[in-house]
């Protein structure tokens, strides 16, 4: 998991603080590397990495083009230049770089944190329009790096978003690969992440999605014929054929039905069965497979990877 803090040369480094926070909220083995701006004389191209990541965070429709330029007047000085196609303006940022452009944080070559004030600087060339989308829509978070609480909350939000995005990628990957027999290192390489990060998400389980007890579930529903557009009380039975007690198993029913209660929880002793009552309302007639998924509390982050068991039911 590549985490980089982009800092202005000569400013107080925030790398250690960021590494401690990402170790807490993302995963313990994360390392944060630091890159300084401006680059050394004659190597202005090194400043392009920060600018490219910032450019990638700006939607094309904003018409903002960022570049690195340098001046030798009064000594070598690199700065950031912006062209705003919608207004036809050019703006050069030199004196405002230390406070309004740095520090910034990228993860896996995606800009995620920028300093408070950057949006305002860039908005000057866009007729005061925000240059970045909202964070939940794939944008960046603007944060005051001098406020420890603000930085802590920002890192937590970024880590939660990264976890959610990775699990979506893992779910999509699982549609084309047999995760049960795939070495975790191969999985990490294919998804461009660290083995330690995946192990952290799995909480020490090498194959949480191949937990033996899940393969020994037997589900049944009584009755197997239900009237359409009416609530009917049904008995959901789980037979646990494993040697493991299933405590607080979270159960989901999926299909063209409404289910009440929406949250179902069961505890089943090893080598035994247990029942629970639920109300089901079919939405259309026909023969359909109701998909049932039971997930233990420690596996909830990867619930989408647990195979559902179909039970055929007739709606009349």
């Amino acid at each position: 998991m590549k985490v980089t803090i982009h800092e202005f040369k000569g400013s107080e480094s925030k790398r250690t603080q960021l590494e401690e926070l990402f170790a807490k909220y993302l995963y313990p083995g994360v390392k944060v590397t630091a890159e300084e701006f401006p680059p050394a004389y004659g190597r202005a191209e090194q400043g392009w990495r920060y600018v490219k990541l910032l450019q990638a965070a700006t939607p094309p429709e904003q018409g903002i083009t960022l570049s690195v330029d340098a001046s030798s007047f009064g000594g070598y000085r690199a700065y950031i230049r912006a062209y705003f196609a919608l207004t036809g303006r050019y703006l050069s940022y030199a004196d405002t770089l230390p406070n309004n452009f740095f520090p910034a944080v990228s993860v896996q070559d995606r800009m995620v944190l920028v300093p408070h004030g950057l949006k305002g600087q860039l908005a000057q060339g866009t007729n005061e329009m925000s240059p970045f989308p909202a964070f939940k829509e794939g944008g960046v978070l603007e944060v005051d790096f001098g406020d420890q609480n603000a930085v802590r909350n920002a890192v937590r939000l970024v880590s939660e978003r990264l976890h959610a995005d990775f699990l979506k990628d893992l779910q999509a990957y699982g549609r084309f690969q047999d995760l049960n027999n795939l070495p975790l290192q191969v999985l990490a390489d294919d998804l461009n992440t660290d083995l330690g990060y995946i192990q952290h998400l799995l909480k020490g389980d090498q194959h949480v999605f191949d937990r033996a007890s899940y393969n020994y579930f037997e589900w049944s529903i009584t009755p197997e014929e239900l009237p359409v557009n009416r609530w009917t009380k049904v008995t959901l039975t789980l037979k646990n054929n494993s040697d493991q007690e299933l405590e607080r198993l979270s159960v989901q029913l999926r299909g063209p039905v409404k289910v009440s209660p929406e949250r179902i929880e069961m505890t089943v002793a090893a080598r035994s069965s247990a029942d629970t009552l639920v109300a089901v309302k079919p939405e259309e007639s026909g023969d359909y497979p109701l998909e049932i998924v039971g997930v233990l509390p420690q596996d909830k982050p990867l619930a989408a990877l647990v195979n559902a068991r179909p039970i055929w039911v007739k709606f009349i």
Side-chain angles (χ1 to χ4, degrees):
M1 188 68 70
K2 184 179 182 181
V3 182
T4 305
I5 181 168
H6 307 269
E7 300 182 300
F8 193 80
K9 188 177 295 184
S11 299
E12 180 183 0
S13 178
K14 304 291 185 180
R15 190 198 67 79
T16 300
Q17 177 193 13
L18 266 295
E19 187 165 274
E20 290 175 352
L21 291 172
F22 274 106
K24 178 178 180 180
Y25 293 109
L26 188 60
Y27 85 101
V30 69
K31 298 296 181 184
V32 177
T33 59
E35 293 185 358
E36 288 188 330
F37 188 96
Y41 176 74
R43 304 187 68 181
E45 71 279 359
Q46 292 184 359
W48 273 100
R49 175 172 153 75
Y50 166 79
V51 171
K52 284 182 177 180
L53 294 176
L54 191 60
Q55 178 80 70
T58 308
E61 59 268 22
Q62 295 285 16
I64 301 175
T65 302
L66 300 171
S67 61
V68 178
D69 210 338
S71 171
S72 59
F73 181 77
Y76 172 74
R77 192 181 192 188
Y79 59 89
I80 293 174
R81 194 172 188 229
Y83 170 67
F84 302 90
L86 298 182
T87 60
R89 297 179 64 187
Y90 283 94
L91 291 176
S92 296
Y93 303 96
D95 295 335
T96 59
L97 283 181
N99 296 322
N100 294 130
F101 280 78
F102 296 93
V105 177
S106 62
V107 180
Q108 296 293 75
D109 291 327
R110 173 196 164 188
M111 194 66 75
V112 292
L113 298 180
V114 297
H116 183 73
L118 179 57
K119 291 182 180 180
Q121 286 289 315
L122 293 178
Q124 294 177 20
T126 60
N127 290 332
E128 304 304 318
M129 295 186 300
S130 175
F132 305 111
F135 180 68
K136 63 181 179 180
E137 297 173 358
V140 298
L141 281 177
E142 197 177 41
V143 60
D144 179 0
F145 281 88
D147 184 336
Q148 292 187 5
N149 288 330
V151 175
R152 181 183 301 107
N153 289 333
V155 172
R156 177 180 56 81
L157 289 173
V158 166
S159 298
E160 290 174 354
R161 178 60 184 267
L162 291 170
H163 289 326
D165 289 347
F166 178 79
L167 291 177
K168 288 181 181 178
D169 291 342
L170 184 58
Q171 183 179 6
Y173 182 85
R175 297 192 184 105
F176 303 98
Q177 296 287 344
D178 182 7
L179 296 178
N180 295 338
N181 299 306
L182 192 69
L184 291 187
Q185 185 61 64
V186 174
L187 180 63
D189 292 341
D190 287 351
L191 295 181
N192 190 32
T193 192
D194 297 346
L195 174 61
Y197 176 64
I198 295 180
Q199 291 172 328
H200 174 68
L201 284 183
L202 301 185
K203 300 185 184 301
D205 289 341
Q206 288 297 301
H207 286 288
V208 65
F209 25 77
D210 190 29
R211 190 183 297 282
S213 60
Y214 289 156
N215 295 326
Y216 293 100
F217 288 2
E218 290 186 27
W219 296 96
S220 62
I221 288 179
T222 307
E224 295 182 350
E225 292 188 358
L226 304 175
V228 176
N229 293 323
R230 285 179 52 189
W231 286 102
T232 302
K233 181 171 63 176
V234 303
T235 300
L236 178 63
T237 301
L238 169 58
K239 184 178 181 182
N240 177 17
N241 294 318
S242 74
D243 295 324
Q244 177 185 359
E245 180 183 17
L246 307 175
E247 185 175 358
R248 297 176 55 222
L249 187 78
S250 178
V251 182
Q252 289 184 347
L253 270 71
R254 305 169 184 168
V257 297
K258 294 181 179 179
V259 179
S260 181
E262 293 183 357
R263 298 182 62 180
I264 307 170
E265 196 170 270
M266 300 178 69
T267 295
V268 188
R271 301 292 176 178
S272 64
S273 300
D275 299 332
T276 188
L277 295 176
V278 296
V280 176
K281 183 180 180 181
E283 297 177 334
E284 55 186 90
S285 60
D287 293 334
Y288 292 96
L290 286 185
E291 293 187 338
I292 304 180
V293 176
V295 181
L296 294 168
Q298 62 267 36
D299 298 340
K300 283 185 178 180
L302 297 172
L305 298 174
V306 177
N307 291 327
R309 298 297 179 88
I311 296 181
W312 285 89
V313 181
K314 188 172 185 178
F315 304 144
I316 57 176

